[in-house]
Amino acid sequence: MVGIVGLGNMGTPMAQRLIDTFVPRGIGVLVNARSRDRATSLLEKGATWAEHPRDLARADVVIVMVPDLPQVEEVLDGADGLLPGVTEKCLVVVCSSVSPDGLRTLATRVAAQSRDRVHVIDAPVSGGVSGAESGTLSLMVGGSDSDVATAWSTLSALGRPVHLGAVGSGEVAKACNQLIVASTMVALSEAALIAEHNGLDLSKLFDTLGGGYAGSQLLETKKANLIDRDYTPTGVAQFMVKDLRFAEQAAVQTGTVAPQLRLLRTIFEDLVDKGLGHEDLAVVHAYIDGLRDESLP
């Protein structure tokens, strides 16, 4: 049996992929969220409702897709948490973007607290809602060989898993991923504004850029947002602040100099301070345009 907790923009299509993969094989899929209403469509398609996280302990593998480490700990601990319900082996796969050090500490604590019945590995994802819906997510996996092998078929239902090393390695990789995404999103936004202010057709520009070295999956995914100034969230911009903080922690711990990373943190922290954090990542486009307005006399 497979379980998943966290049915937000990413968790819901990921749960649907698990249902499509495992239910026809006679393997149950347990789902849990703060509200049962979030699971209505999934229950209609064959999932089983888990009233509390402790009910997920029946699953062999449990995917956790919640915002950050405090929410992961909430799923695991407490009277209705997963840990008190465990009687057999259970593998918890944290697909959230969290601190690598925090994840390692959590994994050690959970193994000791559960008398080695519960292991934690990390498999943060990249690819956005479209990747979750199509089952083409990139999954950056950290954990022991045996634990990763246990999770492999579950992770493969969601996309393309790659085992990168010990517990926490996936979170380091995701931090690196987010550094690249943030810098690319800022560059795309600046380029769009320069072009727009000089009278260029953004649609034609992006089609041209997409055929050269500037082409990227992020460009293809976000160009409509930039052209239409549509910042309806799929992944909210404020989460980038914590992800860049994790990247900076990983850099500092290894003495790695990352000058662009510090600038990106400043940009996204200021964006959030200006009340734009609840919008899509592409809202950095509006933020930068606003800086122009602030500089005008």
Side-chain angles (χ1 to χ4, degrees):
M1 186 174 289
V2 177
I4 181 167
V5 55
L7 301 178
N9 289 336
M10 291 293 291
T12 295
M14 289 168 67
Q16 184 61 60
R17 295 299 307 183
L18 296 177
I19 293 167
D20 293 343
T21 301
F22 293 111
V23 169
R25 303 181 193 174
I27 300 172
V29 176
L30 292 168
V31 297
N32 172 263
R34 291 190 181 278
S35 168
R36 185 183 176 119
D37 291 344
R38 286 185 173 273
T40 300
S41 64
L42 300 172
L43 299 178
E44 292 172 349
K45 294 172 182 175
T48 299
W49 176 246
E51 185 67 27
H52 302 291
R54 68 179 297 152
D55 299 322
L56 294 169
R58 292 183 287 150
D60 303 297
V61 177
V62 176
I63 299 291
V64 179
M65 195 62 185
V66 296
D68 202 351
L69 205 56
Q71 291 78 30
V72 175
E73 293 174 330
E74 184 180 343
V75 167
L76 295 173
D77 298 320
D80 292 324
L82 185 147
L83 289 177
V86 169
T87 58
E88 303 292 338
K89 291 278 189 180
C90 180
L91 180 64
V92 173
V93 184
V94 178
C95 288
S96 315
S97 299
V98 305
S99 161
D101 281 347
L103 192 283
R104 295 182 190 108
T105 300
L106 176 71
T108 300
R109 174 178 71 81
V110 166
Q113 189 174 333
S114 67
R115 298 180 181 178
D116 209 38
R117 287 178 294 189
V118 180
H119 287 188
V120 174
I121 67 172
D122 50 315
V125 303
S126 181
V129 173
S130 60
E133 291 173 341
S134 61
T136 57
L137 291 171
S138 293
L139 296 103
M140 296 157 262
V141 187
S144 69
D145 290 345
S146 59
D147 285 341
V148 171
T150 298
W152 200 256
S153 64
T154 302
L155 298 178
S156 296
L158 303 174
R160 299 180 293 269
V162 177
H163 186 192
L164 294 164
V167 169
S169 298
E171 298 296 351
V172 173
K174 180 59 185 288
C176 294
N177 179 87
Q178 295 302 83
L179 167 58
I180 295 169
V181 169
S183 61
T184 304
M185 193 71 250
V186 170
L188 287 173
S189 297
E190 291 184 358
L193 290 167
I194 292 170
E196 190 175 17
H197 295 156
N198 279 275
L200 275 66
D201 183 315
L202 287 187
S203 181
K204 291 181 179 179
L205 172 69
F206 288 144
D207 285 346
T208 301
L209 296 180
Y213 282 156
S216 68
Q217 187 172 347
L218 191 66
L219 169 59
E220 290 304 308
T221 301
K222 298 298 184 183
K223 65 182 181 181
N225 300 83
L226 299 177
I227 293 169
D228 299 334
R229 291 180 176 261
D230 177 6
Y231 311 125
T232 304
T234 53
V236 295
Q238 64 187 5
F239 290 158
M240 188 59 77
V241 173
K242 72 177 178 65
D243 293 343
L244 293 174
R245 184 173 72 249
F246 300 151
E248 189 166 43
Q249 289 170 355
V252 169
Q253 288 173 352
T254 55
T256 304
V257 178
Q260 184 178 209
L261 176 53
R262 186 167 299 174
L263 173 60
L264 290 169
R265 276 198 64 184
T266 299
I267 290 171
F268 280 93
E269 287 171 355
D270 192 40
L271 180 157
V272 170
D273 289 343
K274 285 181 164 59
L276 299 174
H278 62 286
E279 302 281 8
D280 188 80
L281 180 64
V283 78
V284 71
H285 176 245
Y287 165 78
I288 294 171
D289 204 21
L291 296 179
R292 174 176 181 262
D293 292 339
E294 290 176 7
S295 67
L296 294 175

